[in-house]
């Protein structure tokens, strides 16, 4: 017989990645009774191994007009940033078509506005959580660099920089000398860069999630280890069935299970086009070089981030079936490319990692109540920017639950937009 793990907690948050941790923390601050349900450990998914970049000025959607022209080049380059495993190509196709459609010229301004609304308050939204949990030392507003080997690369991306400028985002263009004065570890091949002074990074993404969850528990929140298997709403409450037979009863549920959210909702007849974009990292505990801030390599599309435990090279996009084994050659290739651009970089003892980015075709997450069942709130699909967008997501989810008008307009992220 199933046993009841907890009697009537009012709100259950499913998933203790950065999004679930921020939702639980904000809901707890409101004085609710909150249970955070996690299948493994806090930050077991994408939230531990990412590049840690905090990008308040990131507002360019992943799909843009003209991007299709770059795809064949990326797919045929063994060091390229994009891979679609042949065995998964057919399955990925409907999602990829929606992705391309989202990149139409008449859609990207609205998407950029919505990304800007979600990303720009990142520091304000983290601030109360960091202060309460003592995690302030894990976030640095260091600035970030996007580096270009050729000036023509920067020139061809100027329209995207202009889109940022139109939204009030600050940046400065550095010439070769200014760039090398700022980052002596970089090879002299780079002709120019863009410096975004308001950007920053999390020095240890996993530690940040763990700190937030630890503080949540210390302030009376309940943490339950278990895998949600089914969500069953009825007239008086919502029952969450766990795969080991336990049940949890709730008045509200927040689904923040990252890339796994879709399967959890399928039993409810809620269909959201969530796809997984796998990413890889190579973590170097003794890299032999120093970087003053995260560096994004514009051609190869990966980050080198100076983290608490060394240097992390992170990026690449791989479409593969959900349970396919990782291909750690993707991670090792990052090391080989980085050695070209960061002479002196040492790869000894490198650790590889793979994580699943939860992605929707229009580059925006879903945040909001399910129209047919408003007791279920969705908060997933944060794609390539979840470390940046999570605290604002937590903030607006708490506002929704409290019945207040969220401080940003949630229309672009509504679950029924597809
Ligand atoms: C290589 C790479 C680099 C990245 N770099 C950046 C970056 O520089 N900056 C940035 O802002 N973002 C970055 N991201 C994106 C960011 O990591 C993600 O958007 C973010 O971590 C998603 O958080 P999440 O909480 O939604 O999902 P996750 O962190 O995946 O958490 C979901 C959690 O739900 C749990 N779970 C799943 N199913 C169930 C269930 N049925 N019951 C209970 N629990 C369940 C999982 O165990 C997991 O702990 C990067 C991602 C990758 C892969």
């Amino acid at each position: 017989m199933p046993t009841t793990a907890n009697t009537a907690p009012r709100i259950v948050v499913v998933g203790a990645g950065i999004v679930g941790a921020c939702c639980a923390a904000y809901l707890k601050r409101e004085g609710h009774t909150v249970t955070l349900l996690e299948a493994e450990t806090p930050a077991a998914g994408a939230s531990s191994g990412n590049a840690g970049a905090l990008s308040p000025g990131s507002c360019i959607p992943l799909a843009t007009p003209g991007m299709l022209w770059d795809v064949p080049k990326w797919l045929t380059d063994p060091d390229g940033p994009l891979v679609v495993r042949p065995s998964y190509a057919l399955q990925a196709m409907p999602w990829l078509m929606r992705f391309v459609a989202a990149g139409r010229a008449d859609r990207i301004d609205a998407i950029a506005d919505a990304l800007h609304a979600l990303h720009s308050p990142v520091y304000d939204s983290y601030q109360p959580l960091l202060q309460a949990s003592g995690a302030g030392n894990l976030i640095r507003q260091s600035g970030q660099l996007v580096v270009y080997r050729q000036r023509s690369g920067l020139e061809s991306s100027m329209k995207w920089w202009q889109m940022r400028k139109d939204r009030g985002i600050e940046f400065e263009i550095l010439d070769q000398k200014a760039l090398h004065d700022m980052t002596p570890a970089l090879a002299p091949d780079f002709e120019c860069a863009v410096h975004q002074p308001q950007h920053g990074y999390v020095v240890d993404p996993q530690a940040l999630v763990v700190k937030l969850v630890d503080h949540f528990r210390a302030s009376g929140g309940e943490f339950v280890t278990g895998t949600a298997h089914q969500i069953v709403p009825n007239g008086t409450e919502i029952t969450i069935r766990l795969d080991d037979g336990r049940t949890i009863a709730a008045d509200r549920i927040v689904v923040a299970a990252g890339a796994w959210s879709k399967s959890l909702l399928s039993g409810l007849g809620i269909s959201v086009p969530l796809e997984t974009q796998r990413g890889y990292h190579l973590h170097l505990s003794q890299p032999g070089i120093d970087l003053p801030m995260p560096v994004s390599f514009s051609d190869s599309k990966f980050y080198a981030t100076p983290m608490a435990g060394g240097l992390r090279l992170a990026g690449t996009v791989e479409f593969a079936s959900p349970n396919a084994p990782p291909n750690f050659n993707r991670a090792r290739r990052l090391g080989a490319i980085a050695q070209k651009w960061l002479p002196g970089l040492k790869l000894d003892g490198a650790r590889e990692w793979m994580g699943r980015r939860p992605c929707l075709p229009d580059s925006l997450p879903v945040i909001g109540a399910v129209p047919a069942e408003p007791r279920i709130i969705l908060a997933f699909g944060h794609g390539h920017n979840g470390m940046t967008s999570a605290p604002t997501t937590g903030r607006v989810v708490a506002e929704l639950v409290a019945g207040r008008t969220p401080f940003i307009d949630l229309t672009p992220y509504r679950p029924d937009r597809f």
Side-chain angles (χ1 to χ4, degrees):
M1 283 289 286
T3 57
T4 299
N6 192 305
T7 47
R10 287 179 45 205
I11 304 166
V12 173
V13 178
V14 182
I18 189 65
V19 176
C22 288
C23 290
Y26 263 108
L27 287 163
K28 194 77 204 84
R29 287 174 70 79
E30 297 270 342
H32 299 293
T33 303
V34 185
T35 295
L36 181 55
L37 174 66
E38 165 56 46
E40 296 184 38
T41 55
S47 300
S48 63
N50 54 67
L54 296 181
S55 310
S58 163
C59 66
I60 308 303
L62 284 171
T64 53
M67 172 212 59
L68 267 188
W69 300 111
D70 290 325
V71 170
K73 181 181 72 191
W74 292 336
L75 285 174
T76 50
D77 176 358
D79 288 337
L82 173 67
V83 161
V84 183
R85 289 206 193 169
S87 56
Y88 192 64
L90 260 184
Q91 258 174 285
M93 198 53 74
W95 188 93
L96 289 168
M97 286 165 71
R98 288 178 115 143
F99 177 72
V100 170
R104 280 197 333 247
D106 60 342
R107 292 189 63 186
I108 60 164
D109 266 309
I111 295 174
D113 287 340
L115 288 170
H116 181 52
L118 198 56
H119 294 161
S120 55
V122 53
Y123 298 118
D124 283 350
S125 296
Y126 265 128
Q127 200 272 339
L129 307 187
L130 299 178
Q131 198 175 9
S133 62
N137 61 331
L138 294 177
I139 283 188
R140 287 191 194 145
Q141 196 176 338
S142 56
Q144 279 177 27
L145 286 168
V146 182
V147 296
Y148 293 88
R149 268 190 298 153
Q150 281 146 2
R151 199 157 185 101
S152 58
L154 170 62
E155 281 158 7
S156 64
S157 63
M158 268 331 278
K159 56 179 174 297
W160 309 124
W161 289 107
Q162 185 59 46
M163 264 180 94
R164 295 174 175 100
K165 203 171 184 174
D166 293 344
R167 288 162 180 81
I169 294 156
E170 274 180 44
F171 60 86
E172 56 176 337
I173 294 172
L174 305 182
D175 64 14
Q176 200 161 24
K177 179 172 181 323
L179 171 61
H180 291 283
D181 286 349
M182 199 178 262
T183 44
L186 205 60
D189 308 54
F190 292 89
E191 288 187 354
C192 56
V194 177
H195 177 228
Q196 294 170 279
Q198 286 162 351
H199 283 203
Y201 68 107
V202 184
V203 299
D204 185 339
Q206 181 173 24
L208 175 60
V209 179
V210 169
K211 275 259 184 194
L212 294 178
V213 174
D214 283 350
H215 181 260
F216 165 77
R217 296 171 84 158
S219 51
E222 183 189 33
F223 184 87
V224 172
T225 305
T227 303
H229 168 63
Q230 200 183 12
I231 300 169
V232 187
N234 65 32
T236 52
E237 61 185 19
I238 303 175
T239 302
I240 299 141
R241 295 200 174 125
L242 275 52
D243 66 356
D244 58 9
R246 286 178 293 165
T247 60
I248 304 179
D251 300 316
R252 296 277 188 104
I253 170 166
V254 179
V255 178
W260 296 269
S261 303
K262 185 175 169 176
S263 52
L264 198 51
L265 294 174
S266 56
L268 289 165
I270 301 168
S271 166
V272 178
L274 184 71
E275 181 53 77
T276 298
Q277 291 186 16
R278 292 165 171 222
Y280 290 85
H281 89 212
L282 198 66
H283 195 94
L284 312 169
S285 52
Q286 291 181 321
I289 60 154
D290 286 321
L291 291 177
M293 63 187 81
V295 174
S296 164
F297 292 86
S298 64
D299 300 311
S300 316
K301 309 221 174 302
F302 72 91
Y303 268 98
T305 305
M307 293 215 165
L311 187 75
R312 183 172 291 177
L313 311 172
T316 92
V317 166
E318 182 188 51
F319 289 85
S321 75
N323 297 320
N327 172 8
F328 284 122
N329 283 333
R330 299 287 297 158
R332 290 190 276 273
R333 283 211 166 100
L334 292 177
I337 304 166
Q339 273 192 317
K340 275 195 276 177
W341 308 135
L342 296 164
L345 183 69
K346 294 194 175 61
L347 302 181
D348 313 327
R351 292 193 312 273
E352 299 136 359
W353 172 89
M354 185 275 284
R356 296 170 169 85
R357 301 181 189 92
C359 294
L360 290 150
D362 59 3
S363 304
L364 299 172
V366 287
I367 308 171
V370 173
E373 179 45 272
R375 293 175 297 175
I376 301 175
I377 294 175
L378 309 186
F380 59 81
H382 293 70
H384 290 234
N385 290 298
M387 297 306 291
T388 305
S389 47
T392 299
T393 301
R395 205 170 149 185
V396 297
V397 163
E399 289 171 335
L400 273 182
V401 169
R404 299 195 297 274
T405 304
F407 84 105
I408 61 170
D409 175 16
L410 296 188
T411 311
Y413 326 102
R414 65 188 193 283
D416 62 343
R417 68 183 186 270
F418 296 102

